[in-house]
Amino acid sequence: MKSTSSGHSFIALLLIVLILVQCAFPAVAKATGSLDVEPALFLKYAAPDIPETYSREILDRIPEKITKEVHVRWVAVPVEAAPVVDINAIYPVPDDATLKSISGRILRASRHMEKVENREAAKLLSEAESEARGCRFNEAIRPFLAEIFLRQGIIKLRDGHVSSAESLFSRSRALRPGFVPDPALFPPQVLTVWGSLSSRLLPEAELLVQSLPSGAVVFVDGVSKGRTPVRINPGKTGPVNIRVSHPGYKDEEKVGQWLPGDADTLDFNLPGDRVARLGDLLSEGGGKQGWGAGPLIGELATAAGVQWIAVVTLEKDGSGDGYIAKAYSHGKPVNAPVFLGEKRIRDGERNSQATGKWLAGKLLENGWPAEEKDQEFEPWYKSWWVWGIAVAAAAGIAAVAAGGGGSSSSGGSSIGVNF
């Protein structure tokens, strides 16, 4: 019994040891990196005189190459939030009170016109037009505007300004198609001028759109209408969105509405986007002094929520033979842009891998976290010492079993007695 209990205890102990070994060393174990992957921002800027296809081939692939050596994850470049334009706040839909106010001014102007008090009438009609233009040009407001232009035209005709009267009558016709003045209510002179306009095209609004810099694409409600400077027609009477876009600059937009016959000039002064401005700042002083770009890089870091920023600029070599990539770093321990160096890329040597490897080395020299190499462990059942324990245990079990067998046999044999 004693020998049998000892064997069972040894086996139990062996099983416990093997279970602990399996828990401590799973079948497949890898070191995936004990450091947390820190977020980082990669900014690239190519000089305007470099073809976009070439700059993209060099710069777009660099971040992937860097992450093989540097322990970071790239985050998206923060986008500057565009101001929210509330069309309803700018051009509210006219309510009953507004329509009543406009119609009241038109009615009072009509009474002054009956008394040939043209100055007083013109003043009231101008006030009515101003109030109407502050509302959205919908179906409720257009008849009032058409009536205002008609009566303004009559006053101009009375003052002998025929061409001005024709322009105002045309605008009235465009807003109220199919309307014909009643001969019982309007004098013959008005009917004659009105009739002469029947063969003319209805007027449209015309906008001159200009930008600095010029050459920007103009979009009207998302549809391209040419490049600045350009004259465009909004295409409708209600509110429209005019957006101007130029590479390297922030888009600018304006919301407005124009009536038939309106002429207006829209000027857009486009600010450079943050990455383009960053490239300009880093290019100052030969590109090796990044201090002027410090505030802008700090602003980008805060917006992106990162401490590490890598910046690469691509410029043409002054000798005309190839290009120069310049690298900057912003992060720990120096919270300011640091010039890392420059690498010459010969024309035709489109090797983003070499550029990325060069930049990764520069970043590591500047204190960026290094990528940990994966370490694979042998499965526990392939370890020689595990099998050594197993063999020794097996030998121990065999020895115990053999010893236990001898005791049992001896105890079970008969004893001879001589008489």
Side-chain angles (χ1 to χ4, degrees):
M1 288 295 292
K2 181 178 180 181
S3 299
T4 303
S5 299
S6 299
H8 289 171
S9 298
F10 191 88
I11 294 173
L13 178 61
L14 174 64
L15 292 175
I16 292 173
V17 170
L18 292 178
I19 290 172
L20 292 175
V21 169
Q22 186 173 5
C23 292
F25 301 95
V28 178
K30 283 190 176 183
T32 57
S34 59
L35 295 176
D36 292 334
V37 182
E38 297 196 47
L41 193 62
F42 180 79
L43 302 176
K44 55 195 176 191
Y45 172 76
D49 56 351
I50 298 179
E52 184 178 358
T53 53
Y54 185 88
S55 62
R56 283 186 175 277
E57 187 166 354
I58 292 294
L59 299 177
D60 285 0
R61 301 177 183 177
I62 291 179
E64 178 185 354
K65 309 299 180 184
I66 295 177
T67 50
K68 293 181 179 180
E69 304 290 336
V70 183
H71 197 66
V72 295
R73 61 178 176 85
W74 302 115
V75 299
V77 177
V79 179
E80 294 179 271
V84 178
V85 179
D86 187 356
I87 296 180
N88 292 325
I90 300 174
Y91 300 109
V93 175
D95 54 19
D96 291 341
T98 301
L99 296 176
K100 185 176 181 180
S101 174
I102 295 171
S103 63
R105 285 191 169 94
I106 296 174
L107 181 59
R108 293 198 300 274
S110 176
R111 290 173 181 170
H112 282 293
M113 291 176 68
E114 291 173 358
K115 300 176 183 178
V116 196
E117 296 173 348
N118 294 335
R119 181 177 298 179
E120 292 79 359
K123 182 176 181 297
L124 285 168
L125 291 172
S126 178
E127 292 173 356
E129 179 185 353
S130 178
E131 186 174 5
R133 283 183 178 273
C135 302
R136 185 174 302 186
F137 295 156
N138 59 9
E139 295 298 329
I141 204 74
R142 288 174 193 164
F144 290 95
L145 287 163
E147 187 68 23
I148 291 170
F149 289 144
L150 173 61
R151 295 187 178 279
Q152 287 176 334
I154 293 174
I155 293 175
K156 291 294 183 182
L157 197 58
R158 286 179 178 180
D159 294 338
H161 304 300
V162 179
S163 60
S164 297
E166 290 176 344
S167 175
L168 289 164
F169 287 168
S170 296
R171 302 178 77 179
S172 180
R173 288 178 62 240
L175 289 169
R176 191 165 48 179
F179 172 79
V180 177
D182 188 345
L185 301 176
F186 295 91
Q189 188 181 10
V190 172
L191 299 176
T192 300
V193 175
W194 185 277
S196 67
L197 302 174
S198 59
S199 59
R200 299 185 186 182
L201 295 176
L202 295 175
E204 297 178 337
E206 184 179 74
L207 307 178
L208 172 60
V209 183
Q210 304 177 130
S211 69
L212 186 65
S214 61
V217 180
V218 179
F219 296 91
V220 178
D221 286 342
V223 179
S224 175
K225 295 293 184 178
R227 295 182 179 273
T228 58
V230 63
R231 294 186 182 275
I232 63 172
N233 170 25
K236 65 180 183 180
T237 306
V240 295
N241 180 281
I242 311 288
R243 179 170 58 89
V244 175
S245 179
H246 194 293
Y249 295 84
K250 283 183 57 180
D251 288 4
E252 287 286 297
E253 63 181 46
K254 295 180 181 179
V255 173
Q257 57 179 5
W258 293 269
L259 294 170
D262 282 352
D264 199 0
T265 300
L266 300 181
D267 293 314
F268 292 86
N269 187 11
L270 304 179
D273 67 20
R274 291 190 288 198
V275 176
R277 280 184 288 152
L278 180 61
D280 293 338
L281 290 171
L282 292 174
S283 297
E284 295 176 358
K288 296 187 178 182
Q289 299 298 328
W291 305 108
L296 181 55
I297 291 183
E299 174 188 332
L300 287 166
T302 301
V306 301
Q307 292 183 331
W308 300 101
I309 296 183
V311 185
V312 177
T313 64
L314 191 64
E315 305 171 6
K316 278 192 173 181
D317 192 343
S319 63
D321 182 19
Y323 303 89
I324 296 178
K326 297 179 180 178
Y328 303 82
S329 170
H330 177 275
K332 306 171 185 176
V334 181
N335 194 26
V338 176
F339 178 68
L340 302 180
E342 60 184 42
K343 177 179 175 60
R344 296 184 180 276
I345 305 173
R346 294 190 177 277
D347 196 9
E349 184 188 346
R350 304 184 178 185
N351 194 345
S352 61
Q353 182 173 0
T355 306
K357 187 174 182 180
W358 165 78
L359 179 57
K362 292 295 183 181
L363 294 176
L364 292 175
E365 291 176 6
N366 201 58
W368 285 54
E371 180 65 44
E372 291 187 347
K373 302 299 182 181
D374 290 344
Q375 298 178 1
E376 295 188 5
F377 294 100
E378 290 288 339
W380 66 274
Y381 52 82
K382 291 184 179 181
S383 299
W384 64 269
W385 60 271
V386 172
W387 288 109
I389 293 175
V391 170
I397 293 173
V400 170
S407 298
S408 176
S409 176
S410 175
S413 61
S414 60
I415 300 174
V417 179
N418 293 324
F419 293 94

